Amino acid sequence: MFADSAIRSTPPATVSSPDAWLQECQEAIGYRFENLELLRAALTHVSMAASRLGSNERLEFLGDAVLGLIVCERLYEKFPEYLEGELTKLKSFIVSRRVCAQVAQTLQLERFLRVGAGVGRSGSVPANLLGDVFEAIIGAIYLDGGLEAAKEWVLRHMGPIIDHIGSTAPLENAKSLLQHLAQKQHGVTPKYEVVDEKGPEHSKCFLVAAVVGEQRFPPAWGRSKKEAEQKAAANALARLHHQPLPYPSQA
């Protein structure tokens, strides 16, 4: 489940030293900084900084580029059969604010983000700010430990998303991804068979299976043939990459 548009913020527990909250943050994110000031800067929103140069905006800018490089390299290695356009679609999904905010929420970054009183009213931090601080932390880790440290950290927290991209990619990409894969590996174009249908004429549902060569993949239901075909393609991609079916069917 992805992060909501606003996420509840819980202030760090009261601590005995001014920087204890930074120590707690390091434990939460699983990385220990040589230069703790980089982490402090990454957690400082512009609303809390003395100036914009003192905020996390520059680290966010750097982290965005580092994240893009790491994700692109992983996708390039994982999907050798995909063309540039399909890799771009997958990359855009993975590095989106929505996904970054989801990972930030998992790491409980809202507990450590320093924002001005006008930003986090009622204890809520907008999800887009969590995506920003996630990228800022990547930038901080890159400056602190280099590319390999940043890569290890990013893949530790985003690797499962990349590795299960067949079932988490946007549904509208599934048919084109399956077509590229089928043509590259088997020299054929996928076909889609209507296995079953139900409901009145004005509101039918369709059960469709993707077929690549002689292989028929698990079918999926949809409220239209187009939707069912996309879901069937997603099932086929998941099966080809040995992943759980995103749209299991009893048929």
Side-chain angles (χ1 to χ4, degrees), residues 2 87-100 102 158 161 164-165 167-170 173:
F2 288 109
L87 291 173
T88 298
K89 291 177 183 178
L90 295 182
K91 181 247 187 178
S92 296
F93 170 70
I94 295 167
V95 304
S96 67
R97 279 289 181 271
R98 189 182 184 194
V99 173
C100 287
Q102 176 197 14
M158 300 192 81
I161 297 173
H164 291 82
I165 193 66
S167 59
T168 58
N173 293 341

Side-chain angles (χ1 to χ4, degrees), residues 9 91 110 171:
S9 174
K91 181 247 187 178
E110 69 272 17
L171 184 59

Side-chain angles (χ1 to χ4, degrees), residues 6-11 115-126:
I7 297 172
R8 194 72 180 172
S9 174
T10 304
V115 297
V119 176
R121 290 178 179 175
S122 302
S124 295
V125 176

